Amino acid sequence: MTIGSCMKVCYNSVDMIESMDQDFWDRHHARHDSTWLTGSSLDRYLDFFRLSVDHLRDQRVLEIGVGLGQATKQLGMLCGELHCADISAVALDRVREHVTQVYVTQDLETEPPVDVALCFLVTVHCPDAEVIRMIDHTQLVPSGRLYVQFSGPMADGDIPERAHEHFVANGTHWFRTRGEIEQLIEQTNKRIVQILAPQRVYHDGWFVHDWHPVILQNR
């Protein structure tokens, strides 16, 4: 599968140097900034992680990172319970009426164990320590699964210098190879069930890279 021109690149110089903390994300959520926020649909989640609606129907589900809330609203009509976590309180306020409970990501460990957890387009903006913390703090039932999307360079190439300068060196993006993903997971309380085939992504003319769908479970 190829995802064409899926990300718009028009970051301004202020955004490129400021800390990507809660204030940063609250500000961008407040203005529905599609430069930084996605409007991913439930179908996109299902397609990317090779899931069907039956995997989610009547289940207790956790969505980590709600974006603009499109998938959240669809999940809310499908799941038995939907719990959502996000760094941004503004983002959570947008979806609150559609979900059972919301949590800022720092409180992830207080959410109840879930059957399915979904984390899409989140880890690319998180350093290793934060990814490890989020994975560790995601509470799963014994048979539960955590589906995580990671971004990485193509298997046969590196991130181009221009993209490295604008996306990596400034601390806004983290691109991990499959080997780096495996090493990262080894430091968590989860283990890899499967890493699905990567999906090729065209970053709006800047560079081509891969998205890795990773399925985890409790150790």
Side-chain angles (χ1 to χ4, degrees), residues 5-209:
S5 299
C6 64
M7 297 180 180
K8 188 170 86 176
V9 181
C10 54
Y11 310 125
N12 62 53
S13 58
V14 174
D15 289 342
M16 297 306 291
I17 61 174
E18 62 187 347
S19 173
M20 298 181 75
D21 56 11
Q22 182 175 350
D23 288 342
F24 174 93
W25 291 108
D26 278 347
R27 187 163 57 256
H28 288 284
H29 273 285
R31 59 181 185 241
H32 295 247
D33 186 353
S34 61
T35 298
W36 285 97
L37 307 173
T38 62
S40 300
S41 66
L42 175 59
D43 284 343
R44 194 173 199 184
Y45 284 9
L46 298 178
D47 180 73
F48 183 73
F49 291 119
R50 312 285 173 80
L51 294 169
S52 71
V53 293
D54 290 333
H55 287 100
L56 304 174
R57 193 189 309 278
D58 300 326
Q59 299 293 296
R60 179 182 280 171
V61 175
L62 169 67
E63 183 186 24
I64 303 172
V66 302
L68 292 172
Q70 181 178 346
T72 310
K73 295 172 185 177
Q74 296 170 314
L75 284 166
M77 294 185 288
L78 178 65
C79 304
E81 291 184 22
L82 177 61
H83 299 257
C84 289
D86 201 286
I87 191 174
S88 169
V90 177
L92 294 173
D93 284 343
R94 181 186 296 123
V95 302
R96 193 180 298 271
E97 66 180 290
H98 304 285
V99 307
T100 305
Q101 185 61 272
V102 299
Y103 309 83
V104 291
T105 49
Q106 288 299 320
D107 294 335
L108 253 182
E109 61 185 338
T110 68
E111 53 94 2
V114 297
D115 302 293
V116 177
L118 303 167
C119 183
F120 188 68
L121 293 180
V122 172
T123 63
V124 69
H125 297 304
C126 298
D128 288 357
E130 177 63 5
V131 175
I132 291 170
R133 188 196 66 79
M134 286 194 300
I135 291 174
D136 279 348
H137 288 184
T138 297
Q139 309 298 311
L140 300 177
V141 301
S143 61
R145 295 290 185 269
L146 167 57
Y147 298 82
V148 187
Q149 176 269 348
F150 286 90
S151 297
M154 291 188 298
D156 56 351
D158 297 322
I159 298 294
E161 181 59 34
R162 181 172 68 134
H164 187 277
E165 177 185 352
H166 288 273
F167 294 97
V168 178
N170 56 32
T172 62
H173 292 67
W174 279 262
F175 297 98
R176 300 171 173 97
T177 65
R178 175 168 175 149
E180 290 169 339
I181 295 167
E182 292 172 343
Q183 291 174 15
L184 193 61
I185 301 304
E186 279 297 313
Q187 301 175 62
T188 75
N189 61 10
K190 307 293 192 294
R191 70 175 184 87
I192 295 173
V193 176
Q194 187 178 7
I195 299 181
L196 302 173
Q199 297 185 11
R200 188 58 44 85
V201 178
Y202 294 87
H203 205 318
D204 206 26
W206 278 61
F207 68 108
V208 181
H209 65 292

